[in-house]
mmCIF file of all heavy atoms in Angstrom:
data_model
loop_
_atom_site.group_PDB
_atom_site.id
_atom_site.type_symbol
_atom_site.label_atom_id
_atom_site.label_comp_id
_atom_site.label_asym_id
_atom_site.label_seq_id
_atom_site.Cartn_x
_atom_site.Cartn_y
_atom_site.Cartn_z
ATOM 1 N N ALA A 254 -21.060 -2.280 18.117
ATOM 2 C CA ALA A 254 -21.539 -3.429 17.309
ATOM 3 C C ALA A 254 -22.397 -4.331 18.137
ATOM 4 O O ALA A 254 -22.101 -5.455 18.502
ATOM 5 C CB ALA A 254 -20.353 -4.284 16.828
ATOM 6 N N PRO A 255 -23.567 -3.880 18.520
ATOM 7 C CA PRO A 255 -24.506 -4.661 19.344
ATOM 8 C C PRO A 255 -24.883 -5.910 18.643
ATOM 9 O O PRO A 255 -25.134 -6.013 17.486
ATOM 10 C CB PRO A 255 -25.816 -3.744 19.473
ATOM 11 C CG PRO A 255 -25.260 -2.340 19.182
ATOM 12 C CD PRO A 255 -24.165 -2.478 18.219
ATOM 13 N N GLY A 256 -24.852 -7.033 19.467
ATOM 14 C CA GLY A 256 -25.171 -8.353 18.975
ATOM 15 C C GLY A 256 -24.003 -9.111 18.263
ATOM 16 O O GLY A 256 -24.156 -10.275 17.911
ATOM 17 N N ARG A 257 -22.896 -8.439 18.047
ATOM 18 C CA ARG A 257 -21.765 -9.139 17.419
ATOM 19 C C ARG A 257 -21.098 -9.969 18.527
ATOM 20 O O ARG A 257 -21.160 -9.677 19.708
ATOM 21 C CB ARG A 257 -20.764 -8.075 16.891
ATOM 22 C CG ARG A 257 -19.718 -8.567 15.947
ATOM 23 C CD ARG A 257 -18.887 -7.389 15.407
ATOM 24 N NE ARG A 257 -17.961 -7.794 14.369
ATOM 25 C CZ ARG A 257 -16.638 -8.006 14.590
ATOM 26 N NH1 ARG A 257 -16.253 -7.918 15.878
ATOM 27 N NH2 ARG A 257 -15.842 -8.329 13.611
ATOM 28 N N ALA A 258 -20.459 -11.107 18.077
ATOM 29 C CA ALA A 258 -19.913 -12.015 18.990
ATOM 30 C C ALA A 258 -18.840 -11.389 19.955
ATOM 31 O O ALA A 258 -18.708 -11.741 21.126
ATOM 32 C CB ALA A 258 -19.264 -13.228 18.221
ATOM 33 N N VAL A 259 -18.007 -10.438 19.373
ATOM 34 C CA VAL A 259 -17.068 -9.674 20.151
ATOM 35 C C VAL A 259 -17.059 -8.226 19.589
ATOM 36 O O VAL A 259 -17.645 -7.968 18.575
ATOM 37 C CB VAL A 259 -15.585 -10.239 19.961
ATOM 38 C CG1 VAL A 259 -15.544 -11.595 20.610
ATOM 39 C CG2 VAL A 259 -15.209 -10.233 18.587
ATOM 40 N N ASP A 260 -16.494 -7.280 20.359
ATOM 41 C CA ASP A 260 -16.480 -5.952 19.908
ATOM 42 C C ASP A 260 -15.735 -5.827 18.588
ATOM 43 O O ASP A 260 -14.876 -6.639 18.273
ATOM 44 C CB ASP A 260 -15.684 -5.096 20.903
ATOM 45 C CG ASP A 260 -16.436 -4.837 22.200
ATOM 46 O OD1 ASP A 260 -17.674 -4.909 22.195
ATOM 47 O OD2 ASP A 260 -15.818 -4.513 23.218
ATOM 48 N N LEU A 261 -16.203 -4.923 17.766
ATOM 49 C CA LEU A 261 -15.622 -4.630 16.474
ATOM 50 C C LEU A 261 -14.460 -3.644 16.686
ATOM 51 O O LEU A 261 -14.681 -2.505 17.120
ATOM 52 C CB LEU A 261 -16.568 -4.067 15.466
ATOM 53 C CG LEU A 261 -16.021 -3.554 14.103
ATOM 54 C CD1 LEU A 261 -15.326 -4.724 13.382
ATOM 55 C CD2 LEU A 261 -17.166 -2.996 13.265
ATOM 56 N N GLU A 262 -13.244 -4.090 16.463
ATOM 57 C CA GLU A 262 -12.048 -3.267 16.611
ATOM 58 C C GLU A 262 -11.434 -3.003 15.266
ATOM 59 O O GLU A 262 -11.383 -3.843 14.375
ATOM 60 C CB GLU A 262 -10.987 -4.022 17.526
ATOM 61 C CG GLU A 262 -11.496 -4.127 18.971
ATOM 62 C CD GLU A 262 -10.437 -4.736 19.837
ATOM 63 O OE1 GLU A 262 -9.396 -5.247 19.305
ATOM 64 O OE2 GLU A 262 -10.548 -4.652 21.100
ATOM 65 N N VAL A 263 -10.982 -1.708 15.106
ATOM 66 C CA VAL A 263 -10.392 -1.317 13.814
ATOM 67 C C VAL A 263 -9.066 -0.549 14.096
ATOM 68 O O VAL A 263 -8.805 -0.089 15.163
ATOM 69 C CB VAL A 263 -11.397 -0.434 13.068
ATOM 70 C CG1 VAL A 263 -12.671 -1.073 12.859
ATOM 71 C CG2 VAL A 263 -11.589 0.966 13.732
ATOM 72 N N ARG A 264 -8.288 -0.510 13.083
ATOM 73 C CA ARG A 264 -7.107 0.343 12.975
ATOM 74 C C ARG A 264 -7.481 1.529 12.108
ATOM 75 O O ARG A 264 -8.045 1.331 11.025
ATOM 76 C CB ARG A 264 -5.888 -0.341 12.504
ATOM 77 C CG ARG A 264 -4.671 0.595 12.299
ATOM 78 C CD ARG A 264 -3.475 -0.137 11.730
ATOM 79 N NE ARG A 264 -3.010 -1.198 12.642
ATOM 80 C CZ ARG A 264 -2.160 -0.990 13.688
ATOM 81 N NH1 ARG A 264 -1.716 0.256 13.921
ATOM 82 N NH2 ARG A 264 -1.804 -1.953 14.456
ATOM 83 N N VAL A 265 -7.144 2.712 12.465
ATOM 84 C CA VAL A 265 -7.365 3.893 11.697
ATOM 85 C C VAL A 265 -6.002 4.523 11.357
ATOM 86 O O VAL A 265 -5.240 4.866 12.267
ATOM 87 C CB VAL A 265 -8.260 4.910 12.422
ATOM 88 C CG1 VAL A 265 -8.491 6.182 11.575
ATOM 89 C CG2 VAL A 265 -9.566 4.305 12.826
ATOM 90 N N SER A 266 -5.754 4.714 10.078
ATOM 91 C CA SER A 266 -4.485 5.306 9.631
ATOM 92 C C SER A 266 -4.853 6.546 8.757
ATOM 93 O O SER A 266 -5.750 6.429 7.915
ATOM 94 C CB SER A 266 -3.590 4.355 8.804
ATOM 95 O OG SER A 266 -3.289 3.230 9.634
ATOM 96 N N ALA A 267 -4.152 7.651 8.961
ATOM 97 C CA ALA A 267 -4.390 8.815 8.192
ATOM 98 C C ALA A 267 -3.153 9.744 8.202
ATOM 99 O O ALA A 267 -2.378 9.631 9.060
ATOM 100 C CB ALA A 267 -5.594 9.621 8.841
ATOM 101 N N PRO A 268 -3.037 10.582 7.156
ATOM 102 C CA PRO A 268 -1.967 11.598 7.198
ATOM 103 C C PRO A 268 -2.137 12.540 8.356
ATOM 104 O O PRO A 268 -3.294 12.821 8.742
ATOM 105 C CB PRO A 268 -2.066 12.321 5.822
ATOM 106 C CG PRO A 268 -3.528 12.104 5.420
ATOM 107 C CD PRO A 268 -3.945 10.800 5.992
ATOM 108 N N VAL A 269 -1.056 13.051 8.878
ATOM 109 C CA VAL A 269 -1.160 13.942 10.054
ATOM 110 C C VAL A 269 -1.694 15.270 9.674
ATOM 111 O O VAL A 269 -2.104 16.005 10.621
ATOM 112 C CB VAL A 269 0.146 14.010 10.762
ATOM 113 C CG1 VAL A 269 0.658 12.736 11.350
ATOM 114 C CG2 VAL A 269 1.287 14.682 9.845
ATOM 115 N N THR A 270 -1.705 15.618 8.411
ATOM 116 C CA THR A 270 -2.228 16.896 8.011
ATOM 117 C C THR A 270 -3.185 16.701 6.770
ATOM 118 O O THR A 270 -3.190 15.632 6.174
ATOM 119 C CB THR A 270 -1.103 17.859 7.565
ATOM 120 O OG1 THR A 270 -0.397 17.267 6.470
ATOM 121 C CG2 THR A 270 -0.147 18.164 8.704
ATOM 122 N N GLY A 271 -3.947 17.718 6.531
ATOM 123 C CA GLY A 271 -4.867 17.649 5.376
ATOM 124 C C GLY A 271 -6.305 17.454 5.766
ATOM 125 O O GLY A 271 -6.581 16.960 6.847
ATOM 126 N N GLY A 272 -7.152 17.883 4.838
ATOM 127 C CA GLY A 272 -8.637 17.668 5.080
ATOM 128 C C GLY A 272 -9.280 17.209 3.807
ATOM 129 O O GLY A 272 -8.610 16.940 2.816
ATOM 130 N N ASP A 273 -10.621 16.963 3.918
ATOM 131 C CA ASP A 273 -11.363 16.428 2.840
ATOM 132 C C ASP A 273 -10.801 15.147 2.336
ATOM 133 O O ASP A 273 -10.651 14.812 1.131
ATOM 134 C CB ASP A 273 -11.529 17.375 1.683
ATOM 135 C CG ASP A 273 -12.288 18.644 2.016
ATOM 136 O OD1 ASP A 273 -13.273 18.568 2.855
ATOM 137 O OD2 ASP A 273 -11.947 19.736 1.599
#
Side-chain angles (χ1 to χ4, degrees):
R257 196 174 184 266
V259 296
D260 288 338
L261 173 57
E262 295 185 344
V263 304
R264 175 181 296 276
V265 181
S266 302
V269 297
T270 60
D273 296 323

